[in-house]
Structure formats: structure tokens, C-alpha cells
């Protein structure tokens, strides 16, 4: 699904990898964690999909599919 989004969606005529889209969707739909580093600075990282249960993962995928649909991206469900 992310490869199809990367292939078909070019915001502002720019291409983005499937990994970049994955990071974008995690930040947009799952939020982020702020991690305090030893130097006192804060690092914000998108939450991971690894910790999602099956219901949460289904919801996450549905949100990505809805996003893709709004931009006329065709997702091939094989």
C-alpha cells in the first residue's frame, strides 16, 4: 500500500519513498513520543506500529486507505 502511495502521489511535484510515507502516516495517525536525551534536548519520534494490537492496526490501515482515496490513489488489494 505504501509503495502504491509513493508511486502515485506526488505532492507539489515531489516524490517520496514508501519509508517516508510510513513515517508521515505514523506521525499523523499515531502521534509521537518525546524522548529526553542526555544533553537535555528533546527528540520527537513517531510512535511505532509494532506495539499496535490487531484492532489498532486495522484502524491505522483504514486511515491510510481513506487518505489515499481522497487523493485518488488506487490501492490494489491482492
Amino acid at each position: 500500500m505504501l509503495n502504491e502511495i509513493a508511486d502515485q502521489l506526488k505532492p507539489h511535484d515531489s516524490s517520496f519513498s514508501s519509508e517516508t510515507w510510513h513515517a508521515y502516516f505514523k506521525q499523523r495517525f499515531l502521534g509521537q513520543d518525546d524522548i529526553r536525551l542526555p544533553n537535555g534536548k528533546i527528540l520527537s519520534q513517531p510512535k511505532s506500529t509494532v506495539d499496535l494490537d490487531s484492532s489498532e492496526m486495522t484502524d491505522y490501515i483504514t486511515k491510510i486507505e481513506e487518505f489515499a482515496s481522497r487523493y485518488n490513489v488506487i490501492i490494489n488489494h491482492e
Side-chain angles (χ1 to χ4, degrees):
M1 178 171 48
L2 294 171
N3 287 331
E4 291 168 326
I5 292 170
D7 289 344
Q8 297 176 47
L9 190 54
K10 311 290 184 201
H12 310 289
D13 294 322
S14 297
S15 295
F16 296 95
S17 69
S18 59
E19 293 84 10
T20 300
W21 281 109
H22 184 53
Y24 172 76
F25 290 133
K26 288 190 303 182
Q27 190 277 329
R28 179 175 177 147
F29 298 130
L30 302 178
Q32 58 192 27
D33 290 319
D34 291 333
I35 301 166
R36 182 173 300 280
L37 300 175
N39 62 3
K41 294 184 179 184
I42 302 294
L43 174 67
S44 295
Q45 288 188 320
K47 291 186 178 180
S48 175
T49 56
V50 173
D51 299 323
L52 300 178
D53 63 28
S54 61
S55 174
E56 292 168 326
M57 186 59 137
T58 298
D59 185 51
Y60 174 68
I61 291 170
T62 299
K63 287 177 181 177
I64 295 172
E65 289 172 334
E66 289 170 352
F67 175 93
S69 177
R70 282 196 303 273
Y71 293 97
N72 300 314
V73 174
I74 298 167
I75 305 295
N76 187 4
H77 295 284
E78 290 184 1

